[in-house]
Amino acid sequence: MAARYENTDAFRGANFTDADLSGATFRSCDLRGIRIVDSWLVDVNLSGEVRNLIVNDVDVTPYVEAELDRRHPERVRLRAMRTADDFRAMWRTIEQLWSETIARAERLPEPARHERVDGEWSLAETLRHLVFATDAWAARTILDRPSPFHRLGLTHTSYPPSDAAALGMDLEARPSYAEVLEARAGRVALVRGIVEDLTDAELERPCTRPPAPGYPEEPRTVGACLRVVMGEECEHRRYVLRDLAVLESR
């Protein structure tokens, strides 16, 4: 059985020479400043926050970003948001895109909606994570509700499970797809209600409560929090589309 290394900084600054890392998986890792020299990068799959990625002395970041924007033009609209009307229009777009994606997923057998592709979250788990993101960044920060977390919410993988349990989340739950959709629908409606009443002035209102215990205490505005919510919606839908293509091909 392959070794597992979790929550460790033992490899910070390490030097690997003539090491066999084939088949290794790096998930939620800090890989900033890594230098790979004279190595075999064949059938390598990278995803995450990509900046200044140099491949054979060529910065490929602009190409990657441009191609993602071409495939997912909602990313461009997300960055361009400035006014309350922009936010409302963006949320309508997000709802429409997700409606189309859910309809596509529901043409698959029920088990496929709970199936992980290459170890990534299933559709059901992704929707549970978006429940958490909405609870954290909309209900708690924007609406200032101290404990809005749904039992079926799924935190990001680095959030301590004990802290999630203390907030009332059951990370070990295995809900039906219908239960997940019900929780998700409530959160979509919550954001819709926020943006329907949004004004340009409200976008600049400071939010004093952090998204969840353990998050850094730093300045946040309503607009910034909504950008996080909508960014999560766009990026996780992109992952779902990637995995749906695999599931549909089987």
Side-chain angles (χ1 to χ4, degrees), residues 59 130 162 232:
D59 185 354
L130 291 176
S162 58
E232 288 277 302

Side-chain angles (χ1 to χ4, degrees), residues 26-73:
F26 301 87
R27 191 182 306 279
S28 298
C29 293
D30 186 345
L31 301 177
R32 287 173 292 182
I34 278 185
R35 187 165 179 254
I36 301 174
V37 181
D38 296 333
S39 298
W40 294 86
L41 276 76
V42 180
D43 297 328
V44 174
N45 191 322
L46 303 177
S47 68
E49 181 70 21
V50 178
R51 299 180 186 176
N52 304 323
L53 178 61
I54 311 299
V55 178
N56 286 339
D57 301 321
V58 178
D59 185 354
V60 301
T61 314
Y63 166 76
V64 172
E65 290 299 305
E67 182 61 14
L68 285 173
D69 286 348
R70 185 187 69 79
R71 297 182 185 186
H72 305 281

Side-chain angles (χ1 to χ4, degrees), residues 126-229:
T126 297
L127 294 176
R128 289 178 61 189
H129 177 66
L130 291 176
V131 167
F132 166 72
T134 304
D135 286 343
W137 290 93
R140 188 172 151 95
T141 54
I142 295 174
L143 300 181
D144 201 32
R145 298 176 183 173
S147 186
F149 299 102
H150 195 287
R151 179 182 70 87
L152 298 182
L154 194 61
T155 62
H156 49 83
T157 53
S158 61
Y159 197 73
S162 58
D163 290 355
L167 294 173
M169 284 173 276
D170 183 1
L171 302 185
E172 301 303 317
R174 295 296 179 267
S176 68
Y177 182 66
E179 290 176 301
V180 173
L181 283 186
E182 181 180 4
R184 164 72 171 160
R187 272 49 191 180
V188 170
L190 183 142
V191 178
R192 187 188 308 130
I194 291 173
V195 298
E196 281 178 354
D197 297 329
L198 195 63
T199 64
D200 290 349
E202 176 73 358
L203 287 171
E204 301 304 320
R205 176 175 65 81
C207 299
T208 57
R209 196 184 297 276
Y215 276 61
E217 298 282 349
E218 59 187 29
R220 297 179 177 91
T221 64
V222 169
C225 293
L226 282 174
R227 284 184 184 276
V228 172
V229 171

Side-chain angles (χ1 to χ4, degrees), residues 93-145:
T93 296
I94 288 171
E95 286 204 46
Q96 179 60 38
L97 290 173
W98 267 109
S99 177
E100 295 167 0
T101 303
I102 293 298
R104 178 176 165 184
E106 290 181 348
R107 291 193 287 270
L108 294 170
E110 166 85 11
R113 300 170 209 152
H114 297 273
E115 182 178 345
R116 289 185 168 187
V117 175
D118 295 330
E120 300 299 327
W121 277 335
S122 67
L123 170 62
E125 289 171 317
T126 297
L127 294 176
R128 289 178 61 189
H129 177 66
L130 291 176
V131 167
F132 166 72
T134 304
D135 286 343
W137 290 93
R140 188 172 151 95
T141 54
I142 295 174
L143 300 181
D144 201 32
R145 298 176 183 173

